[in-house]
Amino acid sequence: MEVNGQLALTVLMGVFLIAVAAWLARVEDWRSYTPLAGGGTVGGTAEQYVSEEKPSGVIRWLTTVDHKDIGMLYGAYALVAFAVGGLMVVLMRIELADPSMTLISNTFYNSLLTSHGITMLFLFGTPIIAAFSNYFIPLLIGADDMAFPRINAIAFWLLPPAALLIWAGFFPIPDVIPAQTAWTMYTPLSAGVGSGNQMNAGVDLMLLGLHLSGVSATMGAINFIATIFTERNEKVSWANLDIFSWTILTQSGLILFAFPLLGSAIVMLLLDRNFGTMFFSVDGGAILWQHLFWFFGHPEVYILVLPPMGIVSLVLPRFAGRRLFGFKFVVYSTLAIGVLSFGVWAHHMFATGIDPRLRASFMAVSLAIAIPSAVKTFNWITTMWNGKIRLTTPMLFCIGFVSNFIIGGVTGVFLASIPVDLVLHDTYYVVGHFHYIVMGAIAFAGFAGLYYWFPIYTGRMYQVTLGKWHFWLSMVGTNLTFFAMILLGYGGMPRRYATYLPQFATLHQVATVGALILLVGQIIFVWNFVQSWLEGREVQDGDPWDLADDDLVTAEWTWFERKLETAVTDGGEDETELATDGGQTVDDADAESADDA
Amino acid sequence: MDEAPGLSDQYRTASPWPVFIALGIPISELGLLFGLFPLAVGGLLLFGGSVVGILKESGYVTSTIRAVTALAVIFLAFGAGLAFTDIALVTRGYAVIAAAILLAVGGIVFELFVREQRQTF
Ligand code: HEM
Ligand SMILES: [Cu+2]
């Protein structure tokens, strides 16, 4: 690099560090010793705000280590990523509305495809789960906070830089283009070999970002394991630990084994790309990458689905008026899935020509993992059977989850069978299969949680009619889009192409229409979410879902009830202020639908 | 979360360090990967300084000097490994070594002069 550039960088970096130091000097507690701070007596203001109350404004959010705040940050982050990933795929689906469409170039399509996958899995999926777990696990198990609150904050703050790096190729930076490796980053393409353009720094940046998000997930996992093991209230034993905590515990275990492996594989790939190592370019290197990637990749899909299953197992019984059927077996099946999920990875590699005996054993375990998944499904259905069903928005999303999970799971079982997979591998069938799960199930459970706990984290109620619109548009859109993809796969349509033969046009158009319906649904969601948060009807009752009627109250609602009470006695803080504006106006409009029954 | 639900508010609920640790990691990674000397040094300083800050704040270490020195020694070993072994990534190695030295010097200066001055008031 020429001297000028280095000099400029040095100056920039220096100025940045000085700014950081100056800012820290104002915020950190040694401020209380400084005569400059003008903060009054020693141990006065600074001491107070660090130990007793939160600082205000932006600083509060930048410096918070409170698990509830961090949960909110995760949630906001995940929803932004969901919007970005969603808009990317809308562009792709529009491109696919017609085989001759040239709205975007083929290379740009590939870039969007890559970023969509990585964004949805690592920047939306994992963080939205972390949003719920951070906010609610300490409440559910009666802990004061996470075991390591500061590590918790570090884990979150690694994510914004990760997103910037992953998306860096799309920013107008000279000579940097987005990665086009797909989310699986198969070598030799991702190693930059050949005449393509994947030697570009954009791929390195994406890999760094992915690595960072893995570090974040690992830190979070360690924290949850420590919290659930050591911070439980005396009254919370292993025997009565709630189902959501169980799934988070299992998920954290999976993360602990899977993500460091991904991190190492990424580092190896970066070394291959930049420092001349040959991990993946020697004989067998390409298959080595696939083994390493999928040894992480399959557990990753369960990392993403287990906690949503936990949310559904927690929420669905509340609106069925009964306890979760076969609670113990739901826990056992969670643990069984956790263990088995490390023994199935090569079902993603059936078509690579690996040893047929190996293939057969992976087929056997893959079929076996369907059993605990089915146990859960039957338990959800039996919980609802003869129950007192209340079709609230969160309940609708739970039922949608079960329905979509069945289709996603059954198509998965077919893929696990080698002869079937050899026909369907790398077709849209696979895309349909996993989207039934990632969109139809995981995102649905996320929405169920967002609606169910809306009163707790906003103090208000969402607008019921809009919630139902959101559900139905999502349900119809998901099934239209992804069922069309399953059919496309049967027809032999290969995945990851920006165009197709004319015979696939109709089904592709159906899929595009489905995606647009989904888009409309999510716009309604955003509107409902933001508007209700700002001016929804205030919740006065600590049990807005009337869970007490069926004796189904859980710890987080008890906490909420007490919070409402204490807020009233000491006059509340900022809550009362908010009450005066939006509070009344929407009140009557939504009063009778408030019960959402 | 026992009796009073607002309890966690009475714990220390703010710390300025996590953001900077989280920034220091990618900045130094970028610097080391692409061989951008200033980014590598600056990122490592940010990371190292914040790690010491957070350890001090949470009471895991009592002496700033010792924490800084320990970290500087680790950086030094890593940098020497990069620069003087068969790995032979010389510039990157020197960047890490430079960060180690700056960190140590900075820590000592802070402890001897800045901290003391503040406390005499
Ligand atoms: C019932 C259990 C399941 C079985 C037996 C199963 C089986 C399979 C198989 C065999 C494939 C490889 C298809 C191919 O590329 O030829 C596959 C792909 C995939 N599955 Fe599943 N699956 C199951 C559940 C899940 C779940 C719960 C998720 C997500 C949370 C999931 C996500 C995926 C993804 C993302 C892919 C595509 C990977 C890629 O090539 O990009 N699956 N599944
Ligand atoms: Cu799999």
Side-chain angles (χ1 to χ4, degrees):
Chain A
M1 165 162 302
E2 16 59 279
V3 185
N4 263 343
Q6 288 277 20
L7 201 66
L9 260 184
T10 313
V11 172
L12 254 170
M13 198 65 227
V15 170
F16 176 65
L17 283 181
I18 292 172
V20 168
W23 189 77
L24 280 170
R26 309 190 107 247
V27 179
E28 188 31 8
D29 56 356
W30 31 270
R31 157 184 162 157
S32 49
Y33 308 122
T34 333
L36 293 172
T41 51
V42 174
T45 44
E47 189 65 39
Q48 230 165 23
Y49 93 64
V50 288
S51 56
E52 266 159 42
E53 50 183 81
K54 298 170 184 175
S56 54
V58 187
I59 307 253
R60 166 201 170 161
W61 293 103
L62 285 173
T63 60
T64 183
V65 296
D66 180 319
H67 69 99
K68 297 190 274 349
D69 288 349
I70 291 176
M72 304 283 266
L73 288 170
Y74 269 113
Y77 177 93
L79 290 178
V80 169
F82 188 59
V84 172
L87 291 175
M88 284 175 170
V89 86
V90 166
L91 262 184
M92 289 157 60
R93 276 317 322 173
I94 292 175
E95 169 69 24
L96 291 171
D98 185 277
S100 56
M101 179 86 85
T102 50
L103 175 71
I104 52 178
S105 70
N106 293 348
T107 50
F108 194 61
Y109 180 93
N110 294 345
S111 312
L112 289 177
L113 173 88
T114 305
S115 272
H116 163 75
I118 293 180
T119 301
M120 287 307 200
L121 292 175
F122 299 96
L123 306 182
F124 162 66
T126 321
I128 192 77
I129 293 168
F132 292 118
S133 50
N134 269 290
Y135 203 110
F136 293 110
I137 294 280
L139 298 183
L140 283 166
I141 67 173
D144 291 330
D145 203 312
M146 298 287 287
F148 307 111
R150 289 180 187 78
I151 302 253
N152 204 19
I154 297 174
F156 171 75
W157 286 108
L158 284 172
L159 285 177
L164 291 181
L165 289 172
I166 286 170
W167 297 332
F170 292 102
F171 301 149
I173 310 171
D175 299 328
V176 176
I177 60 167
Q180 298 169 38
T181 58
W183 83 282
T184 51
M185 302 169 284
Y186 277 8
T187 57
L189 176 66
S190 61
V193 179
S195 55
N197 52 9
Q198 292 304 287
M199 202 52 227
N200 191 273
V203 183
D204 295 307
L205 294 174
M206 182 271 278
L207 290 171
L208 269 187
L210 200 53
H211 185 258
L212 218 54
S213 82
V215 174
S216 155
T218 312
M219 285 178 144
I222 294 171
N223 214 342
F224 278 112
I225 293 176
T227 306
I228 296 177
F229 267 90
T230 63
E231 303 285 310
R232 275 174 295 134
N233 186 296
E234 318 81 79
K235 281 174 247 153
V236 182
S237 66
W238 287 113
N240 62 16
L241 187 63
D242 68 282
I243 187 68
F244 183 55
S245 300
W246 273 112
T247 56
I248 288 291
L249 186 62
T250 314
Q251 181 221 29
S252 300
L254 296 184
I255 290 180
L256 211 53
F257 286 100
F259 267 95
L261 189 119
L262 174 73
S264 316
I266 289 178
V267 170
M268 286 158 76
L269 186 55
L270 282 169
L271 292 177
D272 267 16
R273 292 172 56 85
N274 294 284
F275 300 106
T277 58
M278 310 236 281
F279 292 114
F280 303 117
S281 48
V282 291
D283 244 11
I287 207 80
L288 171 65
W289 171 264
Q290 293 199 23
H291 276 300
L292 291 180
F293 180 82
W294 287 115
F295 184 85
F296 149 80
H298 188 86
E300 163 70 1
V301 305
Y302 281 99
I303 287 169
L304 286 171
V305 85
L306 284 178
M309 286 171 160
I311 293 179
V312 169
S313 304
L314 187 80
V315 174
L316 184 137
R318 315 283 141 212
F319 299 107
R322 6 190 348 205
R323 289 179 186 276
L324 182 63
F325 182 86
F327 181 93
K328 259 195 202 163
F329 289 92
V330 179
V331 173
Y332 294 151
S333 64
T334 304
L335 299 174
I337 289 177
V339 173
L340 287 176
S341 70
F342 280 102
V344 301
W345 78 87
H347 65 209
H348 297 274
M349 302 161 63
F350 284 158
T352 54
I354 54 172
D355 190 318
R357 286 162 298 184
L358 273 181
R359 261 196 339 203
S361 65
F362 278 101
M363 166 170 155
V365 185
S366 301
L367 292 174
I369 207 170
I371 297 171
S373 312
V375 167
K376 285 170 178 287
T377 309
F378 289 130
N379 279 308
W380 293 320
I381 295 174
T382 7
T383 303
M384 289 188 285
W385 198 271
N386 275 342
K388 203 178 73 198
I389 308 264
R390 287 185 288 157
L391 290 179
T392 60
T393 308
M395 182 61 165
L396 286 172
F397 274 104
C398 286
I399 298 173
F401 173 104
V402 176
S403 151
N404 292 334
F405 181 72
I406 290 172
I407 303 183
V410 169
T411 48
V413 175
F414 279 92
L415 286 174
S417 152
I418 299 167
V420 181
D421 184 68
L422 291 179
V423 177
L424 293 175
H425 175 63
D426 252 343
T427 68
Y428 261 70
Y429 183 91
V430 176
V431 184
H433 153 64
F434 70 76
H435 277 92
Y436 258 102
I437 296 185
V438 290
M439 178 66 210
I442 295 171
F444 272 44
F447 288 129
L450 286 173
Y451 284 111
Y452 179 63
W453 285 307
F454 195 83
I456 289 197
Y457 59 83
T458 64
R460 291 164 191 271
M461 188 45 104
Y462 58 84
Q463 295 160 62
V464 174
T465 321
L466 291 183
K468 301 225 157 123
W469 272 101
H470 176 214
F471 168 75
W472 284 109
L473 289 173
S474 298
M475 189 68 189
V476 170
T478 299
N479 279 280
L480 218 52
T481 308
F482 302 121
F483 205 79
M485 290 192 183
I486 287 176
L487 298 179
L488 277 170
Y490 282 134
M493 170 75 209
R495 63 192 281 205
R496 297 183 172 135
Y497 282 89
T499 184
Y500 47 85
L501 298 175
Q503 77 243 34
F504 296 119
T506 315
L507 284 170
H508 266 299
Q509 280 150 7
V510 171
T512 299
V513 169
L516 294 176
I517 294 178
L518 272 172
L519 176 67
V520 176
Q522 307 325 302
I523 291 173
I524 292 179
F525 163 70
V526 172
W527 171 260
N528 189 4
F529 198 71
V530 174
Q531 211 224 356
S532 306
W533 195 321
L534 296 178
E535 33 194 59
R537 180 181 59 85
E538 274 201 60
V539 174
Q540 315 289 354
D541 173 8
D543 182 18
W545 300 115
D546 298 328
L547 302 177
D549 295 357
D550 302 303
D551 199 17
L552 289 169
V553 182
T554 41
E556 82 278 25
W557 293 108
T558 322
W559 171 85
F560 180 56
E561 178 110 57
R562 272 188 277 131
K563 183 179 155 193
L564 285 182
E565 277 163 17
T566 43
V568 171
T569 47
D570 61 39
E573 326 122 58
D574 43 6
E575 258 90 341
T576 32
E577 227 175 63
L578 289 168
T580 46
D581 46 78
Q584 272 79 9
T585 45
V586 222
D587 216 312
D588 35 11
D590 262 314
E592 84 285 23
S593 46
D595 290 338
D596 194 7
Chain B
M1 216 62 27
D2 242 315
E3 285 315 307
L7 193 63
S8 73
D9 294 344
Q10 274 160 28
Y11 283 74
R12 179 167 181 141
T13 51
S15 166
W17 302 108
V19 180
F20 296 115
I21 293 182
L23 269 180
I25 295 174
I27 293 176
S28 47
E29 278 184 347
L30 280 176
L32 288 176
L33 182 67
F34 294 115
L36 302 169
F37 198 90
L39 280 195
V41 176
L44 284 171
L45 278 181
L46 187 58
F47 175 71
S50 310
V51 166
V52 174
I54 208 168
L55 288 175
K56 188 91 201 303
E57 176 193 75
S58 47
Y60 286 116
V61 298
T62 41
S63 146
T64 312
I65 290 211
R66 255 192 288 163
V68 166
T69 320
L71 215 66
V73 168
I74 295 172
F75 282 1
L76 211 62
F78 177 54
L82 287 182
F84 307 128
T85 62
D86 283 348
I87 301 174
L89 293 171
V90 182
T91 328
R92 294 171 172 89
Y94 279 123
V96 182
I97 293 173
I101 295 171
L102 284 175
L103 190 64
V105 172
I108 291 166
V109 168
F110 173 80
E111 194 61 21
L112 291 186
F113 301 105
V114 184
R115 168 79 80 195
E116 199 160 280
Q117 227 174 26
R118 281 160 196 265
Q119 267 161 348
T120 51
F121 276 92

